[in-house]
Amino acid sequence: MTAVERAVATPPAQVAEAGGLSSKGLSAGSLGLVGSVAIGVSTIAPAYTLSGALGPTASAVGEQLPAIFLVGFLPMLLVALGYRHLNRAMPDAGTTFTWGSRAFGPWIGWMGGWGLLASTILVLSNLAGIAVDFLYLLLAQLTGNDSLADLTRNVPVNIATCLAFMAVACWIAYRGMEATKVVQYVLVVFQVVVLLWFAIAAYAHVAAGTAFEGLQIRPEWFNPLEVDSFSAFAAGVSLSVFVYWGWDVVLTMNEETKGTRTTPGKAATTTIFVIVALYLAVALAVLSFSGTGAAGLGLGAEGIGENVFAGLAGPVMGPAAMLMSLAVLSSSAASLQSTIISPARTMLAMGHYGALSPKYTRITPRYRSPGYATVAAAVIASVFYAVMRVVSEDVLWDTITALGMMVCFYYGITALACVWYFRKEAFRSAGTFLGKILAPGVGGLLLLVFFVQTSVDSMDPAFGSGSEIGGVGLVFVLGVGVLALGVVVMLVERARRPAFFRGVTLPRADSTEPTVDAL
């Protein structure tokens, strides 16, 4: 029997009998720092994210758009530091699930894992839908036949195309990290090049005096104190959830990364810094070119704010504008493929430690990837999209709005797990206190406060599409409903797999206890 076969065949109760963590048979050493960062950037999907986020954010905070990007960046960085220390101490593909279970016990760990799974499933369905929209928009631009863009509103065509995108993404992810990183290199480089092209072209228009507004960059744009209200600061935290979310995928690949204990943490912080630099470059370019007015090409104008690149790519890039449509399409397609990584490896870990069916521990012999879990994630996301698309497009968008609640929930749990796991060594040094206690503690509390605030706000139907059930906003019903469903599934699994919930297969521990692993 090979080492991989032994790792897959070993019962969960045995692999963790010494209180440690263990290998799950994945393809070790498949990724380096560059490959990890490429997949991290891909999952965040900057072209897709900026296209929809720039307008609404500018309408809320005006010329302080760059400042609010920096405000949103801070809690993500603080939480990422917690992830980095946890990964160094306990490198495991289960991340939130594993670390939450080790720090707080099986119940909180299981729900943290559920929050990650639910979030990624929601995002997968949305990314597939966006890919469909931009595919038909691109075809309309290439052929000059505007009616092709309307095909995305044809529900059977939309669902069929979406399922095709999902199937291709699943196939690439199934083939393991080698196939994944090659695809990501191409798609990530392309979208970053087009975004920088757009930014440089916008700056050139400003310098030449041909920009719509032609504003010069001013220091107050970077001053968050210039933001008019506290609600705008809250919008900054909210924005961080949507525009920076996805960097943690690099941690779920830790068992497949060279330098298992160190490289994923470096990749996470590097990814966030790369993204904030890219966001600032594009935000400043758009703000300088367009301004925030409600007329013409201003960010507040109708048809611009809803999809910034669709409205500004032509005036800024000229004949090359269709490259931006292709960039957004490739961004959503690349993120669709890379986002599958997180739920697949989380389900693998949950199965490995006895919190889910052992079926999820199946590793493909050829590619050494979590084949069963990868297919399961794609199937669940596909079914969810198809059902929601038939019910209502508004329902689908409300589920994405509810995503923020779940992301804050599991990010917050993970950050506070860092604080609790390292609590006994908090005062060994100033660096330990700042990096392992204060930074993740502040970041985690911020996100959990936002989780509570969003839950309260979303009870109002006006928070989302306006849909309601019994007078309660659909965003609240969906967000709380998905978490409540997690509790139900957890109780079912508790009856079927009591060993995990008794702390046998993944016992609680802290940083002062030795960790035995087989990585």
Side-chain angles (χ1 to χ4, degrees), residues 56-425:
T57 308
S59 67
V61 301
E63 293 182 347
Q64 276 64 54
L65 180 64
I68 216 68
F69 272 122
L70 292 174
V71 169
F73 161 75
L74 290 177
M76 291 295 103
L77 179 61
L78 296 177
V79 170
L81 291 175
Y83 270 75
R84 184 169 182 169
H85 287 297
L86 285 169
N87 182 76
R88 186 184 295 270
M90 301 178 286
D92 191 273
T95 58
T96 295
F97 159 74
T98 303
W99 299 334
S101 298
R102 295 281 279 179
F104 297 129
W107 300 94
I108 294 180
W110 203 98
M111 284 304 299
W114 177 266
L116 187 154
L117 290 175
S119 301
T120 49
I121 293 301
L122 291 180
V123 169
L124 281 171
S125 61
N126 182 250
L127 286 167
I130 294 297
V132 173
D133 290 343
F134 275 90
L135 171 65
Y136 288 113
L137 174 61
L138 178 63
L139 290 176
Q141 291 174 329
L142 290 173
T143 62
N145 184 355
D146 293 341
S147 64
L148 290 178
D150 295 330
L151 285 176
T152 191
R153 298 187 180 90
N154 183 305
V155 173
V157 172
N158 183 292
I159 292 176
T161 310
C162 173
L163 296 183
F165 270 116
M166 195 74 74
V168 172
C170 178
W171 177 73
I172 295 172
Y174 185 92
R175 291 172 60 87
M177 283 301 165
E178 290 296 335
T180 296
K181 71 180 182 182
V182 170
V183 172
Q184 295 304 328
Y185 283 148
V186 175
L187 296 181
V188 168
V189 168
F190 175 72
Q191 67 175 296
V192 169
V193 167
V194 173
L195 285 173
L196 292 178
W197 183 344
F198 175 90
I200 292 170
Y203 293 134
H205 279 292
V206 173
T210 56
F212 171 73
E213 192 68 35
L215 301 177
Q216 296 299 313
I217 297 174
R218 297 192 291 268
E220 54 264 32
W221 291 1
F222 297 91
N223 183 4
L225 298 179
E226 294 283 339
V227 178
D228 293 336
S229 65
F230 178 76
S231 63
F233 280 99
V237 180
S238 173
L239 180 66
S240 72
V241 173
F242 295 101
V243 304
Y244 292 111
W245 178 78
W247 54 265
D248 55 310
V249 68
V250 303
L251 279 304
T252 66
M253 303 181 297
N254 50 22
E255 295 186 35
E256 299 153 277
T257 306
K258 300 170 185 175
T260 297
R261 294 183 183 274
T262 57
T263 301
K266 294 177 182 177
T269 51
T270 301
T271 298
I272 295 175
F273 278 108
V274 168
I275 287 296
V276 73
L278 187 61
Y279 282 178
L280 287 175
V282 176
L284 289 169
V286 170
L287 193 58
S288 298
F289 182 90
S290 294
T292 59
L297 298 179
L299 286 174
E302 185 177 355
I304 300 294
E306 293 85 352
N307 190 328
V308 167
F309 294 142
L312 295 181
V316 172
M317 301 176 70
M322 69 175 60
L323 291 178
M324 183 57 76
S325 294
L326 186 58
V328 177
L329 171 61
S330 66
S331 178
S332 55
S335 184
L336 175 65
Q337 188 267 313
S338 59
T339 301
I340 291 180
I341 292 171
S342 282
R345 280 146 186 80
T346 298
M347 287 189 285
L348 167 68
M350 293 179 79
H352 185 77
Y353 293 113
L356 284 179
S357 168
K359 293 179 181 178
Y360 293 100
T361 65
R362 294 176 183 172
I363 300 295
T364 58
R366 180 177 179 182
Y367 303 115
R368 296 175 67 186
S369 68
Y372 184 90
T374 299
V375 173
V379 169
I380 294 170
S382 298
V383 172
F384 177 82
Y385 179 86
V387 172
M388 291 297 99
R389 191 64 179 79
V390 169
V391 171
S392 168
E393 190 171 354
D394 285 340
V395 173
L396 182 62
W397 281 107
D398 279 337
T399 61
I400 300 306
T401 306
L403 163 70
M405 297 166 62
M406 285 172 281
V407 172
C408 286
F409 176 74
Y410 87 82
Y411 271 7
I413 285 177
T414 310
L416 295 185
C418 178
V419 175
W420 193 248
Y421 184 78
F422 292 107
R423 68 191 185 280
K424 292 183 180 179
E425 57 179 271

Side-chain angles (χ1 to χ4, degrees), residues 4-25:
V4 173
E5 291 169 335
R6 284 196 301 272
V8 175
T10 304
Q14 294 181 27
V15 297
E17 62 183 0
L21 307 177
S22 58
S23 172
K24 300 163 191 64

